[in-house]
Amino acid sequence: GNSVTQMEGPVTLSEEAFLTINCTYTATGYPSLFWYVQYPGEGLQLLLKATKADDKGSNKGFEATYRKETTSFHLEKGSVQVSDSAVYFCALVNQGGKLIFGQGTELSVKP
Amino acid sequence: DGGITQSPKYLFRKEGQNVTLSCEQNLNHDAMYWYRQDPGQGLRLIYYSQIVNDFQKGDIAEGYSVSREKKESFPLTVTSAQKNPTAFYLCASSTHRQGSHQETQYFGPGTRLLVL
């Protein structure tokens, strides 16, 4: 079946550090891949997406590349800020249109 | 401004009571969804609707009911049969094209349900 696995949190970084949050997936066919961000007490916001292999999604300094050969979609940012503290969800949409989430990774950035 | 609104932000339920969570969107999206989020966990799909007057059960539909009488609205009722309703409930919507897998789901701000 289809599934998404993310690295466990919490991830704690100092401001301006490099961020990587690993995400791997299992899917039949060619899913679209997403990263969503959830700030405390709020709903989910779309951060970036990629719809085919080798696509790179980017937004607000975050990037992720759709790697079919490793079934991965790792989230990266070169220099994190305190305001990036949130929970990050990796997700895929399969050909049935169902959105399948990873369990989320909490990021805490300290000044 | 286009978007998804959910109300109320907080909702309290007494034992044996049914409560209804509101979700409205003005994005002209065909599809709407309800998810449940428990602390430290991902989202689980409760119900979804791809078109007016039609809806489908998700992974955890027991104890919940929905209606889709208008394109813009997809209310969720948490019934007394749901024994553990305390959670954060998120509504989402997307365009829908049959057989496509590229539609992005957009989320509302959520409703936190607490049991008294």
Side-chain angles (χ1 to χ4, degrees), chain A residues 32-45:
Chain A
S32 294
L33 301 174
F34 302 81
W35 277 101
Y36 284 88
V37 58
Q38 184 178 35
Y39 298 101
E42 298 184 10
L44 273 66
Q45 299 176 24

Side-chain angles (χ1 to χ4, degrees), chain B residues 33-52:
Chain B
Y33 312 81
W34 274 105
Y35 294 90
R36 170 181 171 138
Q37 184 179 27
D38 293 284
Q41 298 187 30
L43 279 69
R44 293 182 288 169
L45 182 64
I46 304 172
Y47 268 98
Y48 64 101
S49 167
Q50 294 175 335
I51 195 169
V52 174

